[in-house]
Amino acid sequence: MSTPQRHHHPHSSNLHVEYPNSEDDLDLEELGPETTLNYHSRADKKAGRTVREGGDTIALRNLRTDGLGRPRDRPRRYEAFGGRRGEEAEDLHGLLEYDDEGYKPDTAGISRIGDDTAPFAHSSASGQRQPEDKKGSGSRLVAKLGLTSLSAASISPDQEHLDRDNEEEHDPTAARHILVGQPQSSRFPPNSISNAKYTPWSFLPRTLYKEFSFFFNLYFLLVALSQIIPALRIGYLSTYVAPLAFVLAITLGKEAADDIARRKRDAEANAEPYTVLRFHDSLDPLRSKGVHWGSLLQPSRTTGKPLIHDVDDRLTAIQEEEENLIGQAESKTVSTGVSEVIKKSRDLKVGDVLKLGRDQRVPADVVVLKSYTTEAFMIPPSSSEGTTSTTEPANLVEPITDPSTKDTPTTQSSSRTSPPTDGNASSADVTAVGETFIRTDQLDGETDWKLRLASPLSQSLDISDFTRLKIIAGKPDRKVNEFIGTVELGPVGKEVEEQASKIKKNKSAGPGHDKSNGHAESDHPATQSAPLTIDNTAWANTVLASACTTLSVVVYTGPQTRQALSTAPSRSKTGLLDSEINNLTKILCAFTLALSVILVALEGFESREGQNWYISITRFLILFSTIIPISLRVNLDMGKTVYARFIERDPDIIGAVVRTSTIPEELGRVEYLLSDKTGTLTQNDMELRKVHVGTVSYANEAMDEVASYLRQAFSVLSSSHLNEQPALLTPSSAYNTPSATRTRREIGSRVRDLVLALALCHNVTPTSDEEHGRIVTTYQASSPDEIAIVRWTESIGLRLIHRDRQGITLNSVETGRVVVRVRILHVFPFTSESKRMGIIVQFFQWTDTNQSITDDAGEIWFYEKGADTVMSSIVASNDWLDEETSNMAREGLRTLVVGRKKLSVQQYQDFSATHKEASLALQGRDFGMAKVVKSYLEQDLELLGVTGVEDKLQRDIKPSLELLRNAGIKIWMLTGDKVETARCVAVSAKLVARGQYIHTIANLKRKDLAQDSLDFLRNKTDACLLIDGDSLSLMLSHFQDTFIALAVRLPAVIACRCSPTQKADIALLIRRHTKKRVCCIGDGGNDVSMIQAADVGVGIVGKEGRQASLAADFSITQFCHLTKLLVWHGRNSYKQSAKLAQFIIHRGLIISVCQTMFSIATKFEPHALYRDWLLVGYATVYTMAPVFSLVLDKDVDEELANLYPELYKELTTGQSLSYRTFFVWVLVSTYQGAIIQGLSQILVAVEGPRMVSVSFTVLVINELIMVAFEITTWHPIMIFSLVGTALVYLGSIAFLGGYFDLAYVLTWAFAWRVATISAISLIPPYAVKVLRRTLKPPSYRKVQAL
C-alpha cells in the first residue's frame, strides 16, 4: 500500500506527514495538534506569521514535533519523546555515515525538498525497519522530526548548489508537478536561448567540413597540399594556397560574423532582466538565515563533525530553543514577507513567480496566476536574491467572491467563468478580475490580441499564499494552441488539524474501516483544484499587451518551451544552378585527368629526369587545375549579393527583404506557385456585407432598415415610474411598435434577436488608448471576423462598451444609455476542430446587478455561431439555411450561422455541474467537455439568421494572377476555408479562367469513388480541380503518386480545409514528383511549414503578423509584388548567373588549353607556361572586374518582360545553362586557346619570355573583348571596368620584367603579332554567333524587333 501523501504549505509548521504502517509513529494525541496548528490557523487568517530574531542555534520549529507548543504541556511532551530515544538511535545514526576519511553524509533521503508529491521521501511501504537502507533512514528521521521544507528565498547560494547536486533530472516525457515559488525536486533545463550554429571548438571543424564537401574546394585543397611534396612542386606554394585561403576566409568570415551576431542577440535576450517574487517566512530563524536542512548534515568547519552529530545532546538544545521561540512568539507578530528580486532571463527556473508589465516579453512558458490594474501595495525591491523583507502586504486586488473557490472544494470548470463582483466595472478595470491580453505575432503569426485569464483559484488568493499552490502540467509539447493542466490549492492551519482528527478516527477504526473514501480524503485534505487550459497560459516570446501587472509562474523553460519545440531548424536551401555547376565541374575534372593521362601516354609512360610516369600525371593535373576555377563560387556568391541588393532597392516593391541571398536565381525557374488565400490573395480586411433572418435578407443600403428596427426596440425600454431604475433589453422584451403591422413587428423582433446575439456571442474586448490627446477605442480579438461583426453592430446602433470575464455591457449609439447588460456564465471558444463558438449569459433586467443565478428575473440564454457545416445539425430543422449559405458563398462571403437556446436555472445548474466534473479530468478532457456541451446545449437551437462577411481581394490580384499564368506558372490555392468560399474567391480573383470547368471533389470517404474521380481527371486535363481536406487525405493515403501525377498537369488546383501539415506535404510531393521549382507564398503562422518546404518561400507582411515573412526566403508586402519578383528580378538573376558561370569556366579552360599546347611543344614536359603572379593576376586583377560586370547585363527591359511574360517560360527549361551550352563554351575555349598559344609559338618561339609576353597579352585582350561581345545592354560600370582593366594591365607591364622581355614589348614586332593572333582568335567565334542570331534569333531578340 502506498504511503498517503499531503500537499503542504512550505512556510508554516502545520504540515503533517503520516506513516500509518510504521511501528515508530508518534501518537497523535501526544502531539497536541491544538497548539501550533490553531495558532497558525489564526495567523494565516491575518496573513501574518510570528517572528523571532534567529540565533546560531537550531530552532525547534525547523525540527518540528507536532504539538510541542504550549509551556504547560512541554515536560510531558519531551519526556514522551525522550523516552523513545533509544528506540530511534539506530535510525538517527543510520543517516550519518562515517568512512576512513571522516564524515560522509547520505542526503538522498532528504534531497527532495519541495517534492511535488510529498515533502520528503517516505519510508518503505511495508513499514518495517531497514537499517541498511540509508535513504529510508533519512526519510524516517525527517518524518519523526517533522521538518518543513524551506522557502526559496532563504536558501543561500551554497545550499542552492547542494540542492542542484541532489536534484534528479526531470523526465521530459512525464507530467510535471510544480510547487509555486519554491525549489523543485527535479532539475529542469535552464531558461537560456541559443540560436548559435557553432561553438568555439566546433566552428572550424564544422565549417571546414561543409566547405570541403563542395567539389571545388576539395579539389583545390588537394592541389595545394600537393605543393608540399618537392617532386610535385611547380611554382610558389602561395600561388595555390592563397586563392583557396582567400575563398575560405571569405566564407568562414561570413559564417563567423553571422554566428557572432546570433550570439549577441541570444546574449541580449538571455540577459533581459525580470522581476521575480521571493517568499519569506520570518517565523523560521533558520530559513531567514539561509540555513538549509542539507547543511545540518555537513561537517562543521571547527570540529569537522556534522552539526547533528550527537542526537541526544542536540535534543536538549532543541528543547531550549523551543522555549525561547515560544516565549518570543507570544509577544511579537510579523506577517510573511514578499520581496522582489531582479533575475536575468537565463537564471529563471521552473516555479519562479514573475511580475510582468505592459509590452514586456514573456521569457518562458508561464501560467497566469493573477493580474491587476493598480497596485494596492508596493512589493519591496531587493537588491539581490538573498535579501529578505518582512513587510506586510495587502491584497493586490479585492478577492473575487467566487462560490467555486469559497464554498466548494473545486472551482468552476470553465476558465472564463467567474461571477461578477461589480456589474458597473469600467473598461479600464477589465483586468482587475484576472484578465490580460497578449500579442502572439512572433509565435503563431497572428497580430490580434488574445485574452488570457487567471484561474479564479489563484486570482482570489493573497500573494503570500501563492506557495500553497501546485501546478500539474503535461509533458512539454509543441502544440501552441493546446494545454491541459490543473492548479491545486493546499490546506493550511485548521484544515490540517481537522483532517488529523479524521485520520486518527480512521486509524482507530481498524483495518475493517472503509478506506475507499477515507483514504481519498486523507490524500489531500480540503485541497481545492481547478482546471487549466490554453486560456490560462502565456508562451515564451509572446508580449503582454494590457496596461496591467500580471503575476505568473514559470512552467516550461529553455528548450522545452512551445516555441523552441515547434521551431524546426530551417532547411539549408541550395539552388538548382549550384547543383548544375557542381556537375559541370566534375566533367571538367574528368577532362583534366583524361588530358593528363593522354599527354603522358603520348610519351609512352616513360620515366624522365628521375620522375616516374605517375608523378608526371600528377604534375599535369596540377598544371591544368585552372580548368576548374576556384574563383567561380566567389564570383557567383558576390553576384547573388548584387541581385539581392537590386531586389531590396527596387522602388516598385518597397519593403522587400531578401533573407536567403543564396537562391535569388531560383526566382527565375519557378513552375508551380502554391498560395494561401486569406491575407495573401485577400486583404484579411473583413466587413459584414449581408444578414439573413429567415424571410428577408439585408445588404448595402438595406442596413439602414436594420438600424431602424433596432432604434424601435430601444425606444420601448422605459420605466413605468420616473423614480424606478431604467429597464434593460432582454430577449423576452416585447417588441411593441403601435404604428407597425404584425408582419413588421415579427421581422423587427427577429432582427433585434439576431443583432443582440451577434453583439454578445464573441470574444471581442474594447480597449481604450490615448492617441494625440484623445481617447481612441479599438476592438481586440483573435478573429478579424468577430471584430467585423462587432463593428457592424456598432454601425447600426448597438455598441460594445465593456467586456471582461464577468460580463458584457452594451449601450445605444443614439442615446448613449446602457441597454443590455449580461453576466457571462460560460464561454466556449472557437477552435479549428469545433468550427463554432458559444457563450452562456444571464441577462440583467434592471441596472441593479446584484441578482444571482437563482433569481427568476435573470434569463439564461445559450448563444452559438459557427460554420454552416457544423451548425446545420445543431439548429432546429428549417428549409432555407442550406440555400442561403450557398448563395452567400457564391458571392464570396464567409458565412456564419447564429442560433440560441433558453435555459432554465435547473438546466444550467445541471449542465454546470456535469461540465465541471468533465473539465477536471486529465485524460480525454476536451472530448468529455465537448460531449457534455453537445448533450445539454447543442440540440434544437433556434435559428436566428446567417451573416456574410467579405474578405476583400488584394490590390491588383487579378492582373497579377493572369500574368503569372501566362508566364507558364501553374497556380495552386491552399486554404483552410470552406469549399464554396474558396471557389468564389478563385473565380473573382481570376485564378480560374472564364468559362473553365471546375471539377469538385468533396466529402470523399470511399476508395472506389476516389478512383472514379481520378479516371475523370485523366480525360479532362484542362479543368480546374477543387478538393477539400478530407478528400485530399484520402487521395494522398491511397493514390498518392497517381493523384500528384494528374494534379500537376492541371492548370489550377484549389485545396480547401487544408491543415498546415497538408500544405507542406503538397509542396514536398510536387517537388519530389516533378523535380521542378516550387514557390510557396503565405502571410500567417500556419503557412510557415509550407514556405519552408518550398524551393522558394515568399512571405507577405500582413495582418496575421510577420512570422511567415521571417521564415521565408523573400519577404514582400503585397501579392502583386510577386510578379516583378519572378518575371523581372528572377529572370535577370538566373540569366546573368548562368552567363557569369559559363564565362568563368571559359576563362579557366582557355588558359588550360594554352598550357596543353605548351606541354606538347616542349615534348610533354610538365612545366608551367605562366607562373606565380601571371597565373594569379590573370584570374583576379586582369579579368575579374569586366567578367563580374556581366551581372549588370539585361537582355530585355522591364516593360517587355511584363508585356511578354511568355519569355519567362523559356527559363524553366534551363536552356541558359545546359550541357549543350557548356560544350559550346568548351569548344570556343579550345579553339581560342589553341590559336593563342599555337600562333604565339609559331610566330615567336616555342618558349622564352618573348613568347610568354605575346601569349599572355593576347590572352588578356581576348577575355576583355569576349566580355564586350556578351554584353546585351551596356552599363557605365561595364565600360569603366573594361577600360580600367586594360589600362591597369598596360601599366603593370613595366613591373613584369621577371616574366616578359620588356625590350621586345616596346617593338612593332610585338604589336603586330598581338593584333594578328587576337583577330584570328576572336573573329570566327563572333561571326558564328552573329550568323546564329540571324538565322535563329532568341525570343528576346524577336520581341525587341517588335
Side-chain angles (χ1 to χ4, degrees), residues 362 436-440 448-452 537-539 542-546:
V362 180
T436 188
F437 281 95
I438 61 172
R439 297 196 300 269
T440 63
D448 297 296
W449 293 5
K450 291 182 173 59
L451 181 65
R452 289 297 183 258
T537 63
W539 301 140
T542 58
V543 178
L544 258 67
S546 299

Side-chain angles (χ1 to χ4, degrees), residues 1210 1330-1342 1345:
E1210 293 183 351
V1330 171
L1331 183 63
R1332 181 176 177 273
R1333 284 182 177 179
T1334 303
L1335 298 177
K1336 190 180 179 180
S1339 299
Y1340 72 89
R1341 287 285 181 181
K1342 295 178 182 179

Side-chain angles (χ1 to χ4, degrees), residues 387-605:
T387 305
T388 304
S389 174
T390 57
T391 55
E392 182 175 358
N395 286 344
L396 294 178
V397 296
E398 289 298 319
I400 300 175
T401 306
D402 190 345
S404 62
T405 60
K406 183 177 179 180
D407 303 325
T408 63
T410 57
T411 61
Q412 286 182 263
S413 59
S414 175
S415 60
R416 299 181 184 273
T417 304
S418 182
T421 55
D422 184 7
N424 298 314
S426 65
S427 277
D429 237 2
V430 63
T431 52
V433 288
E435 294 187 353
T436 188
F437 281 95
I438 61 172
R439 297 196 300 269
T440 63
D441 53 315
Q442 296 304 316
L443 184 67
D444 58 12
E446 298 180 2
T447 56
D448 297 296
W449 293 5
K450 291 182 173 59
L451 181 65
R452 289 297 183 258
L453 309 166
S455 172
L457 194 62
S458 57
Q459 176 67 25
S460 60
L461 200 63
D462 187 82
I463 289 184
S464 60
D465 288 332
F466 275 1
T467 51
R468 295 168 53 198
L469 295 173
K470 180 168 75 170
I471 305 293
I472 302 175
K475 64 180 181 180
D477 196 346
R478 67 179 59 190
K479 298 177 181 177
V480 297
N481 294 319
E482 294 183 13
F483 177 75
I484 294 178
T486 304
V487 57
E488 294 182 355
L489 178 63
V492 291
K494 192 173 181 179
E495 296 172 350
V496 175
E497 177 187 354
E498 294 174 352
Q499 191 63 24
S501 301
K502 293 182 180 180
I503 296 171
K504 169 65 178 174
K505 294 178 181 178
N506 292 341
K507 188 174 181 182
S508 62
H513 182 68
D514 183 11
K515 298 179 181 180
S516 61
N517 296 328
H519 179 69
E521 292 176 0
S522 65
D523 277 348
H524 299 283
T527 296
Q528 302 180 41
S529 63
L532 296 175
T533 66
I534 185 66
D535 293 332
N536 307 116
T537 63
W539 301 140
N541 277 338
T542 58
V543 178
L544 258 67
S546 299
C548 67
T549 300
T550 301
L551 304 180
S552 54
V553 59
V554 176
V555 179
Y556 304 105
T557 53
Q560 294 183 348
T561 60
R562 288 301 201 269
Q563 186 182 56
L565 292 174
S566 60
T567 303
S570 59
R571 180 173 61 92
S572 180
K573 297 183 179 181
T574 302
L576 183 59
L577 183 70
D578 292 334
S579 301
E580 292 170 345
I581 291 176
N582 199 50
N583 292 332
L584 296 179
T585 56
K586 294 177 182 178
I587 295 176
L588 292 175
C589 181
F591 175 74
T592 303
L593 179 60
L595 186 61
S596 303
V597 172
I598 289 173
L599 291 176
V600 176
L602 292 175
E603 185 66 17
F605 292 102

Side-chain angles (χ1 to χ4, degrees), residues 243-268:
L244 178 64
F246 176 72
V247 172
L248 293 179
I250 291 178
T251 307
L252 267 65
K254 183 176 181 297
E255 285 289 326
D258 291 345
D259 211 51
I260 290 173
R262 284 190 289 265
R263 286 183 174 274
K264 287 182 177 179
R265 290 193 296 267
D266 292 343
E268 291 175 1

Side-chain angles (χ1 to χ4, degrees), residues 1244 1253-1254 1257-1258 1261 1304-1319:
V1244 182
S1253 61
V1254 172
T1257 302
V1258 173
I1261 293 174
Y1304 178 73
V1305 169
L1306 298 177
T1307 65
W1308 281 106
F1310 171 82
W1312 75 261
R1313 284 175 172 83
V1314 168
T1316 301
I1317 297 172
S1318 298

Side-chain angles (χ1 to χ4, degrees), residues 846-896:
W846 308 99
T847 54
D848 179 16
T849 59
N850 293 325
Q851 66 188 39
S852 66
I853 293 179
T854 58
D855 290 339
D856 295 335
E859 302 176 13
I860 299 177
W861 287 83
F862 168 62
Y863 290 99
E864 189 169 51
K865 66 181 180 184
D868 61 298
T869 53
V870 294
M871 292 295 293
S872 58
S873 61
I874 295 176
V875 298
S877 59
N878 59 87
D879 57 357
W880 60 270
L881 178 60
D882 294 338
E883 179 181 359
E884 187 57 33
T885 54
S886 299
N887 292 337
M888 288 188 181
R890 278 190 288 271
E891 297 175 24
L893 303 179
R894 300 157 64 100
T895 57
L896 282 176

Side-chain angles (χ1 to χ4, degrees), residues 533-746:
T533 66
I534 185 66
D535 293 332
N536 307 116
T537 63
W539 301 140
N541 277 338
T542 58
V543 178
L544 258 67
S546 299
C548 67
T549 300
T550 301
L551 304 180
S552 54
V553 59
V554 176
V555 179
Y556 304 105
T557 53
Q560 294 183 348
T561 60
R562 288 301 201 269
Q563 186 182 56
L565 292 174
S566 60
T567 303
S570 59
R571 180 173 61 92
S572 180
K573 297 183 179 181
T574 302
L576 183 59
L577 183 70
D578 292 334
S579 301
E580 292 170 345
I581 291 176
N582 199 50
N583 292 332
L584 296 179
T585 56
K586 294 177 182 178
I587 295 176
L588 292 175
C589 181
F591 175 74
T592 303
L593 179 60
L595 186 61
S596 303
V597 172
I598 289 173
L599 291 176
V600 176
L602 292 175
E603 185 66 17
F605 292 102
E606 295 180 1
S607 299
R608 301 184 59 178
E609 299 180 2
Q611 292 181 354
N612 293 323
W613 61 269
Y614 53 82
I615 297 293
S616 299
I617 292 178
T618 306
R619 286 175 63 87
F620 274 122
L621 282 172
I622 296 170
L623 288 173
F624 298 145
S625 62
T626 53
I627 290 180
I628 305 175
I630 192 173
S631 61
L632 179 56
R633 279 198 62 218
V634 176
N635 279 272
L636 287 177
D637 288 345
M638 292 172 59
K640 292 175 181 180
T641 303
V642 172
Y643 305 143
R645 293 291 296 273
F646 287 161
I647 294 173
E648 293 181 338
R649 294 192 173 189
D650 192 328
D652 294 333
I653 51 175
I654 295 176
V657 179
V658 179
R659 304 191 188 279
T660 306
S661 61
T662 57
I663 58 171
E665 74 280 355
E666 293 294 276
L667 293 169
R669 308 184 71 175
V670 171
E671 292 191 52
Y672 292 91
L673 175 64
L674 276 57
S675 173
D676 179 38
K677 182 183 74 69
T678 305
T680 304
L681 299 179
T682 62
Q683 297 182 18
N684 202 16
D685 184 8
M686 309 297 180
E687 181 180 355
L688 194 146
R689 307 287 298 185
K690 190 175 185 179
V691 294
H692 194 283
V693 293
T695 57
V696 63
S697 178
Y698 298 95
N700 303 323
E701 294 80 6
M703 291 298 181
D704 294 337
E705 190 174 353
V706 177
S708 174
Y709 282 128
L710 211 58
R711 285 194 298 270
Q712 294 173 7
F714 296 153
S715 66
V716 302
L717 296 178
S718 58
S719 301
S720 56
H721 300 285
L722 293 177
N723 58 353
E724 290 184 3
Q725 298 183 32
L728 299 177
L729 182 69
T730 68
S732 301
S733 300
Y735 188 87
N736 294 320
T737 305
S739 59
T741 63
R742 178 179 178 182
T743 302
R744 185 171 179 82
R745 284 197 301 270
E746 291 178 355

